[in-house]
Amino acid sequence: MNTKHLQQNSPTDITLAGELLRSGEVVGIPTETVYGLAANALDPTAVKKIFIAKGRPSDNPLIVHIAELSQWAQLVREIPESAQKLAQAYWPGPLTIILEKSDLIPMETSGGLSTVGVRFPSHPAAQAVIRAAGVPLAAPSANLSGKPSPTTFAHLCEDMDGRVAALVDGGDCGVGVESTVLSLVGDRPRLLRPGGVTLAQLESILGEVDVDPAVLHQLKEGAVVSSPGMKYRHYAPKATVKLVEGSPERYANFVNAALQNHESGYALCFDEDLPFLTTKTLSYGSRFDSQTQAHRLFTALHELDGMGAALVYAHAPKKSGVGLAVYNRMVRAAGFCIEKPQAPVLIGLTGQSAAGKSTVAELLREHGCAIIDCDKLTRSGEVYNTECIGELCTVFGDELAPNGVLDRKLLAARAFADEPSKAKLHEIVFPHILAAVEREIARHTRNGAEKIVLDAPTLFEAGLDSRCDRIIAVTAPYEVRLRRAMQRDGITEEQAKLRFAVQKTEEFFLTHADHTIENTARESLQKKLAPVLTDLDELTA
Ligand code: TXA
Ligand code: MG
């Protein structure tokens, strides 16, 4: 078949795409998630062509795409209020809502199911093509079945040139992973596939949402699947992919050893891993930047094919927010092969002053974690030993330690006088802190600890983040922290505000953690901590 290449910015091309679709042809179209392979959703013959082009099993249902809210009602039996609210909040966008289908949807489109997933994409070219076609469009991701979804026009052409009537070039896809699939069939809302709209965003509208077990775990042989797509091998590049859990340092150590004599081995890693890796690398974003990871993931898998990778050790992404979607795709690309860390695992616990870290640390202790209170350690003679005090006197003056005993008040006055002095203090003290922390880690390890928590407000400043297999950030509203700091430390509001002003921002902690916990009240803390504990237990299982 001679496949036409069409441009999103050409009105005649869009009109042509619409005509082809109306006449029963298949057209590759861009969306904000991934490229889709579209056909008239109401025409069984047209829809069959999609399955042939993709080589897709016919029991795997297709998502129906609309470009006006008014197109929705005719496709489903009923639109409940919860669905209306979701559409209002997240459409157009990367969310597919599954409801009971109407008779208008043929069985070919629904894969034989009585339900249908509908999505209103936000990509202007997707909307333009749907409008030009004048019918709702069934569109799965435009990859050959089993391969990574295409997120660039080049990748679309690689898989579909010669197999369909036309391909519309819409540039690179923004989100990079397929839409969130949510089922509103049944008594409780259920997340079938995580995507750009997060679980937290869904729950902010719906209350509790069940997460289908297939999102994170391999289905048992013969298990009943809520979403047929979950049972197929997915997102796989040519290389064997293995997922490796753990901190940047731990991951790099493992991969460096494993790929030592491997010519075509690659580390599919995060930016933070790069300084520790001695292998061939491909980074797909920062460890904490799930959005960038999602955007780059499928492109990276394609690139690995291009580079001739045979064995790939991918660093496991975090599972919260959009990270859940990245993890879901990655664990499938890896065929659920996960290398877990040797005990003990290290958990960084950090956040702003008076956010309530200690309360969280206490709960973690109850859960069997050993706790290293880095603040307490820092104040101890372990850190401010003779050597450290000597170095401080050289820089800040001998008056600092008249009889070898450190005058902490004077040190604080001088070291916190300005930024350069503070930097100097850190330069001297952090190595001593790190050494003391390592001694504590070694001690707990000897005692058989499986999980060790580093309770460390300056985790990042000290460079301990690269040692941590997980980082938990504790936050609380500014007013709450003020009140707590004044009560706890007997300081004035002014003093508390000054202290907060020199710390990293809440935004920083929110974006630099695997898990964030807003600690507003002790009563709700257990519940907020539950998924974190599950994650930690799975990490050490
Ligand atoms: O972002 C997206 O959703 C992209 C773009 C093109 O819109 N489309 C996409 O479609 O990813 P597809 O077919 O590759 O993935 C749809 C997934 C499959 O796992 C399928 O089994 C599931 O959604 N699904 C679709 N309709 C369903 C239904 N009625 N019940 C359960 N699962 C359904
Ligand atoms: Mg797909």
Side-chain angles (χ1 to χ4, degrees), residues 54 56 141 143 149 234:
K54 266 185 76 88
R56 177 175 176 133
S141 51
N143 50 292
S149 301
H234 241 97

Side-chain angles (χ1 to χ4, degrees), residues 427-505:
E427 198 181 302
I428 294 169
V429 177
F430 278 142
H432 293 281
I433 297 178
L434 292 185
V437 168
E438 291 298 345
R439 283 193 295 273
E440 279 297 282
I441 292 173
R443 187 173 67 81
H444 285 298
T445 307
R446 280 194 304 276
N447 291 342
E450 293 204 325
K451 305 184 194 87
I452 302 174
V453 173
L454 303 179
D455 179 352
T458 53
L459 189 82
F460 289 91
E461 290 87 338
L464 278 166
D465 49 320
S466 63
R467 280 281 270 135
C468 292
D469 302 298
R470 289 290 189 269
I471 293 175
I472 305 172
V474 183
T475 68
Y478 190 77
E479 292 304 319
V480 174
R481 292 195 296 118
L482 264 188
R483 199 163 14 88
R484 282 185 191 152
M486 287 159 61
Q487 266 174 15
R488 184 188 65 187
D489 304 336
I491 54 176
T492 66
E493 190 172 321
E494 287 313 302
Q495 285 167 321
K497 282 182 176 168
L498 277 178
R499 187 186 294 178
F500 293 174
V502 297
Q503 295 177 342
K504 290 196 182 299
T505 59

Side-chain angles (χ1 to χ4, degrees), residues 26-30 34-38 50 53-54 56 139-145 147-152 155-161 163-164 167 178:
V26 174
V27 177
I29 63 165
V34 300
Y35 275 87
L37 211 53
I50 297 180
K54 266 185 76 88
R56 177 175 176 133
S141 51
N143 50 292
L144 289 171
S145 206
K147 286 190 51 177
S149 301
T151 51
T152 68
H155 295 155
L156 174 69
C157 295
E158 211 175 277
D159 277 15
M160 288 302 151
D161 236 342
R163 302 180 76 94
V164 299
L167 303 172
E178 306 85 344

